[in-house]
C-alpha cells in the first residue's frame, strides 16, 4: 500500500495568494508569452488588412461610372445600332468642321465611356460641337 504524507500532498498543490496552483500559473504564463509573441503579428496583419481594404474601396469607387446628366436641348440622343462604331457615329453626326478624333473624344467624355467600345441598343448623347 502506498502511503503519501501530508507534506508531499501539500507541496504539489500549494496555492499562491490568489488561489492558483503552480501548474495553473505556468499555463497562464505560457498563454501570456504566446500572446506577446503573436500580438505584433496580429496588429501588423490588422493594419495591413485595413490599408488593403481602403485601397480596394478607393479603386472600386473610382471605377464606378459617373452619373451622366440628361441631354440638354441642343444635344442629340442616338441609339447605337448593330455594326455602329464611335467613329461612324461621329462621322455621321459631325458638321465636318471638327476633326473626327476630337468628335469621338467629345462623345466619350459626354457619355463617360472609358473606351471606344459601344453596344447595340446603347443610348449615346452627342454634344453640340
Amino acid at each position: 500500500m502506498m502511503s503519501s504524507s501530508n507534506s508531499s500532498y501539500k507541496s504539489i498543490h500549494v496555492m499562491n495568494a490568489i488561489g492558483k496552483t503552480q501548474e495553473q500559473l505556468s499555463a497562464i504564463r505560457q498563454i501570456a508569452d504566446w500572446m506577446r509573441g503573436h500580438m505584433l503579428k496580429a496588429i501588423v496583419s490588422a493594419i495591413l488588412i485595413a490599408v488593403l481594404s481602403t485601397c480596394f474601396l478607393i479603386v472600386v469607387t473610382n471605377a464606378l461610372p459617373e452619373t451622366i446628366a440628361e441631354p440638354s436641348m441642343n444635344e442629340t440622343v442616338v441609339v447605337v445600332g448593330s455594326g455602329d462604331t464611335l467613329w461612324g457615329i461621329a462621322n455621321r453626326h459631325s458638321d465636318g468642321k471638327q476633326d473626327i478624333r476630337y468628335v469621338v473624344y467629345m462623345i466619350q467624355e459626354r457619355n463617360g465611356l472609358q473606351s471606344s467600345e459601344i453596344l447595340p441598343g446603347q443610348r449615346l448623347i452627342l454634344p453640340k460641337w
Side-chain angles (χ1 to χ4, degrees):
M1 196 194 256
M2 289 179 60
S3 80
S4 97
S5 69
N6 240 356
S7 64
S8 66
Y9 176 79
K10 286 181 183 177
S11 66
I12 294 173
H13 298 286
V14 173
M15 300 270 199
N16 68 2
I18 56 173
K20 302 284 185 199
T21 65
Q22 291 299 325
E23 291 171 2
Q24 290 171 327
L25 287 174
S26 175
I28 291 171
R29 280 190 201 102
Q30 285 177 346
I31 292 170
D33 289 342
W34 182 86
M35 287 179 65
R36 266 188 241 110
H38 291 84
M39 190 62 70
L40 181 60
K41 292 175 190 174
I43 290 171
V44 169
S45 297
I47 290 171
L48 183 62
I49 289 170
V51 168
L52 289 176
S53 298
T54 303
C55 291
F56 175 75
L57 290 174
I58 289 170
V59 168
V60 169
T61 302
N62 288 337
L64 294 176
E66 296 177 16
T67 304
I68 306 300
E70 290 297 314
S72 65
M73 297 290 257
N74 60 350
E75 293 179 314
T76 306
V77 177
V78 296
V79 178
V80 176
S82 180
D84 277 345
T85 63
L86 274 182
W87 187 273
I89 292 170
N91 202 20
R92 276 195 309 272
H93 294 279
S94 71
D95 58 9
K97 297 177 185 172
Q98 298 286 338
D99 184 349
I100 295 299
R101 293 172 293 189
Y102 176 72
V103 176
V104 169
Y105 169 77
M106 293 299 292
I107 294 172
Q108 284 179 306
E109 284 294 306
R110 176 61 178 94
N111 292 280
L113 301 175
Q114 300 297 319
S115 72
S116 61
E117 184 178 328
I118 54 175
L119 302 171
Q122 184 176 358
R123 285 182 41 190
L124 294 177
I125 302 170
L126 306 181
K128 187 74 171 167
W129 34 78

